Amino acid sequence: MKLKLILAFSTTYISLVSSLVAFASNPKSVRWTYKEDNNSDFVHIIDVINQKTGFALSVSDFSMMESRKLAKYNYLMLTQLQNGLPVEGNTLRIWTNNQGELFQVEAQVSDKTSSESVKQSLSMSPETVQALLTSDTTMDLVRNEVFNHPDDKQIRNVQWKDVIEKDKVLRIIKVKGKRGTHLIKIDPIGKKVVDHLYEEFPNADSDIKTMSIPVHIYPIYEEVEKTNELMPRVPAYLRNLVSKIHKADTDPYSPLRSMKYLYTMLDPFKGLTAAGRKDGFWAPTYVKRQGNAILNSLPLVDNNFASGFVLEGKFTSINIHPEAIKQFNGKLAFKPKFSGQFRFDYRDDEMIPTATYHGKPFASRKEIERVDAVRLPDHNVLEYLNNGFDSVQVYWAVDQLFETLHKSGFNDPELSTRPFHAFLYDPDISMKNNAYYTDDTINFTTYSPNQGNMARDNTTIWHELGHGVMDRLMGDFINLAGTGGLSEGMADFVAQMVLHDVTGASSFPGLSDMRIMNQTGFFLTNEVHDDGEVSYQ
């Protein structure tokens, strides 16, 4: 019986009540390749795992988590179960070729134990955990933890899963805040938080016809960080610009503001039901779904110079933070146009769905090509908005990342085409002098006089979007890309691919001063950026 049939068989029986035995906290890892054994039969794979570990696992101890077709192989990931609950960290990963032959197996699994004390703690099913720890109780505990955080008290999204971790049943909640992510673990029996970790966000094919426009941009950055030497611009092209955009004369998302989205009423489950929404609960997933439906309902109109050409393309769009437009109302040299891009506007105690604005519209190709990259001593946002060069530079940098990765073989139909939208000039003082990636967006703030403009620093843009690329590749189940130094190294690797492509791997001013180029074993600070840095050479 082949792998596909066995997996279907196992899925049928996973829901049945299994024996009340528990997994020991001493997992073993095994690995083999086609050179040792190329039999992809799933029963055979489990037998080999048992032979290598001395365990007695069965097909019904695993559940499918992910199935993906890669460029040359088919990839499967399964999780090990106990009473229907996944055992955190215990996975079985299988690669097969297009002929169905095994290419590689990697597994981390645990044995079963007869310990009565462990049996008692792990004899709960998913239904038992849900009965012990209701949605209301979970959200009360989550809000108490987040609202008492010293720096980030916002709740933008909530997801949770029930797992077995180190012989304990836990509910693990992932909370997206304003500047980072809370990871909260709750004991369902004691109904109490047992762990709370916080990490900041990583910092610093369409049928519509596309076009290219010649420009002059900074291939690396505007100024060298330590010397403030201004770099020359070079000829380039803005590619993949679209000739059709969604038209919005007014904020298209104003209908979504007919209800209040208070943080105290955020519930990822109740907010998905009509009954829950009637009671005032909301879920970010549902709101985003409504936003996408509104965007798709907007009419398409010509994106041309006669009406004011805006920088929107297959792989990115340039948007202005609505608070920046509000701040300079009546002072702009152009009439702001609503962008079709939807954003969650997080305030002190509520989320407000709103639209953003296009960057400066251009009247001709020559205007885009000849726009001056003036470096203002005070980084005056109003003048930068009226100037428009930051929009040109950011568009080129994001589009160049896609161009390089596509040439390098990154051609997944969805992961390699989904845009990274850019948002410029967030005036929030707490976010000043920063650029960061989150949720398929690259975000820029405002800058102090002695700071570089990160919208003109491609090394920063490509590094931050490197986090985005790895975020996509890891999918919903693998958290490898969010693990400190490894995450920074992955982001560096993506950025270096683009940098090598743009520079031809040649030297440039400031290269030797980059922290990845130091010769003293990194900066010896044990920071994640140093732990994970990738050498340019």
Side-chain angles (χ1 to χ4, degrees):
M1 187 179 293
K2 291 300 179 183
L3 180 63
K4 183 176 180 180
L5 296 177
I6 289 294
L7 288 176
F9 175 83
S10 69
T11 302
T12 304
Y13 284 89
I14 282 171
S15 61
L16 298 178
V17 177
S18 60
S19 59
L20 300 183
V21 292
F23 291 96
S25 57
N26 57 339
K28 292 185 179 180
S29 297
V30 296
R31 177 182 180 273
W32 72 91
T33 69
Y34 68 96
K35 293 181 180 179
E36 181 180 345
D37 186 344
N38 71 346
N39 188 343
S40 65
D41 182 272
F42 191 60
V43 173
H44 175 74
I45 290 174
I46 300 301
D47 287 342
V48 174
I49 291 174
N50 288 334
Q51 293 169 14
K52 290 179 176 288
T53 61
F55 297 163
L57 304 176
S58 64
V59 167
S60 60
D61 288 327
F62 296 89
S63 174
M64 177 74 74
M65 291 178 67
E66 188 172 3
S67 176
R68 189 181 297 276
K69 183 175 179 60
L70 305 178
K72 296 182 179 179
Y73 302 100
N74 298 306
Y75 169 76
L76 298 174
M77 183 170 72
L78 303 96
T79 186
Q80 190 176 1
L81 299 175
Q82 163 68 22
N83 285 356
L85 291 172
V87 182
E88 187 74 348
N90 281 16
T91 59
L92 169 58
R93 301 194 295 166
I94 303 169
W95 290 262
T96 57
N97 61 24
N98 292 329
Q99 287 72 47
E101 299 171 328
L102 184 69
F103 181 76
Q104 179 176 274
V105 171
E106 292 181 352
Q108 176 172 292
V109 293
S110 297
D111 197 12
K112 300 175 180 180
T113 177
S114 59
S115 167
E116 291 299 323
S117 62
V118 176
K119 278 184 184 180
Q120 280 187 327
S121 65
L122 297 183
S123 60
M124 292 187 290
S125 67
E127 294 75 20
T128 306
V129 178
Q130 182 60 41
L132 289 170
L133 200 56
T134 65
S135 175
D136 287 341
T137 302
T138 300
M139 289 306 300
D140 286 343
L141 292 168
V142 166
R143 292 188 186 101
N144 184 64
E145 282 293 306
V146 175
F147 292 171
N148 285 304
H149 191 271
D151 186 48
D152 193 340
K153 304 178 187 295
Q154 289 192 3
I155 299 178
R156 300 190 173 193
N157 197 7
V158 180
Q159 295 176 316
W160 66 66
K161 60 181 178 179
D162 298 326
V163 303
I164 295 172
E165 185 180 83
K166 296 181 180 179
D167 290 341
K168 293 182 180 179
V169 176
L170 296 173
R171 174 162 289 177
I172 299 179
I173 302 98
K174 184 178 181 181
V175 180
K176 184 170 293 182
K178 180 179 182 179
R179 289 187 292 274
T181 302
H182 302 266
L183 191 67
I184 300 170
K185 299 180 181 180
I186 298 177
D187 170 20
I189 297 177
K191 297 182 177 60
K192 62 181 181 180
V193 174
V194 295
D195 198 10
H196 180 182
L197 298 175
Y198 178 79
E199 288 186 357
E200 290 189 351
F201 296 134
N203 286 323
D205 296 306
S206 174
D207 58 357
I208 298 176
K209 294 181 180 180
T210 63
M211 65 187 82
S212 299
I213 295 177
V215 289
H216 287 79
I217 51 83
Y218 294 110
I220 304 169
Y221 34 55
E222 179 182 39
E223 55 187 303
V224 181
E225 183 176 4
K226 288 191 175 181
T227 65
N228 298 120
E229 174 190 357
L230 292 178
M231 300 290 288
R233 290 191 292 162
V234 300
Y237 282 89
L238 299 187
R239 303 184 188 278
N240 301 305
L241 289 158
V242 294
S243 58
K244 297 281 186 180
I245 57 173
H246 289 98
K247 177 178 172 55
D249 293 323
T250 59
D251 184 346
Y253 304 108
S254 58
L256 298 183
R257 297 197 289 274
S258 61
M259 69 171 286
K260 288 281 189 178
Y261 301 87
L262 300 173
Y263 299 143
T264 53
M265 299 301 291
L266 188 154
D267 190 299
F269 294 104
K270 289 184 177 180
L272 294 178
T273 67
R277 292 191 297 273
K278 185 177 180 181
D279 291 334
F281 293 100
W282 66 281
T285 301
Y286 180 78
V287 180
K288 186 179 293 186
R289 193 182 304 158
Q290 287 183 299
N292 288 335
I294 291 175
L295 173 62
N296 292 330
S297 70
L298 295 175
L300 288 173
V301 297
D302 290 336
N303 183 25
N304 55 38
F305 293 107
S307 59
F309 188 85
V310 296
L311 300 186
E312 186 167 323
K314 287 176 62 177
F315 305 120
T316 189
S317 66
I318 304 301
N319 307 275
I320 305 300
H321 195 284
E323 286 301 311
I325 296 294
K326 180 180 178 181
Q327 181 176 337
F328 299 109
N329 183 34
K331 300 179 182 179
L332 293 168
F334 59 91
K335 182 180 179 180
K337 292 182 179 180
F338 277 108
S339 164
Q341 298 307 319
F342 172 64
R343 72 181 298 274
F344 288 171
D345 187 5
Y346 292 96
R347 304 293 177 87
D348 291 337
D349 58 356
E350 66 176 318
M351 184 281 292
I352 301 176
T354 187
T356 53
Y357 292 84
H358 289 296
K360 175 187 175 180
F362 294 93
S364 68
R365 291 173 179 261
K366 287 296 183 182
E367 184 184 4
I368 297 177
E369 183 178 2
R370 296 175 180 176
V371 61
D372 186 17
V374 58
R375 199 295 192 191
L376 300 175
D378 61 350
H379 288 310
N380 186 287
V381 173
L382 176 59
E383 294 193 42
Y384 281 159
L385 279 166
N386 288 330
N387 170 264
F389 177 76
D390 285 356
S391 297
V392 172
Q393 182 68 40
V394 172
Y395 183 97
W396 178 86
V398 179
D399 190 73
Q400 180 61 48
L401 176 131
F402 280 94
E403 291 278 336
T404 297
L405 295 184
H406 290 167
K407 289 190 295 184
S408 303
F410 185 43
N411 54 14
D412 181 274
E414 194 268 337
L415 301 184
S416 70
T417 59
R418 196 166 77 231
F420 286 120
H421 299 291
F423 294 89
L424 291 168
Y425 310 123
D426 181 351
D428 188 337
I429 191 65
S430 68
M431 305 294 285
K432 197 177 183 69
N433 299 322
N434 196 8
Y436 62 93
Y437 161 81
T438 183
D439 295 329
D440 279 344
T441 68
I442 177 74
N443 301 268
F444 303 90
T445 63
T446 57
Y447 307 99
S448 304
N450 61 340
Q451 296 288 321
N453 182 349
M454 293 186 185
R456 303 181 185 185
D457 184 344
N458 300 328
T459 61
T460 294
I461 295 172
W462 295 331
H463 174 91
E464 298 310 325
L465 292 183
H467 288 297
V469 171
M470 297 314 303
D471 194 34
R472 295 180 180 188
L473 292 178
M474 293 300 101
D476 296 330
F477 301 104
I478 305 176
N479 295 317
L480 189 62
T483 52
L486 184 57
S487 172
E488 298 305 326
M490 289 176 170
D492 269 351
F493 183 78
V494 172
Q496 297 295 3
M497 290 177 65
V498 188
L499 197 55
H500 273 251
D501 185 28
V502 171
T503 65
S506 60
S507 182
F508 53 85
L511 172 61
S512 61
D513 290 326
M514 288 184 171
R515 60 193 297 150
I516 59 173
M517 296 304 296
N518 71 80
Q519 303 297 315
T520 59
F522 303 106
F523 284 155
L524 305 178
T525 61
N526 200 36
E527 294 179 358
V528 294
H529 274 274
D530 297 316
D531 292 341
E533 293 296 355
V534 177
S535 175
Y536 178 78
Q537 296 177 332

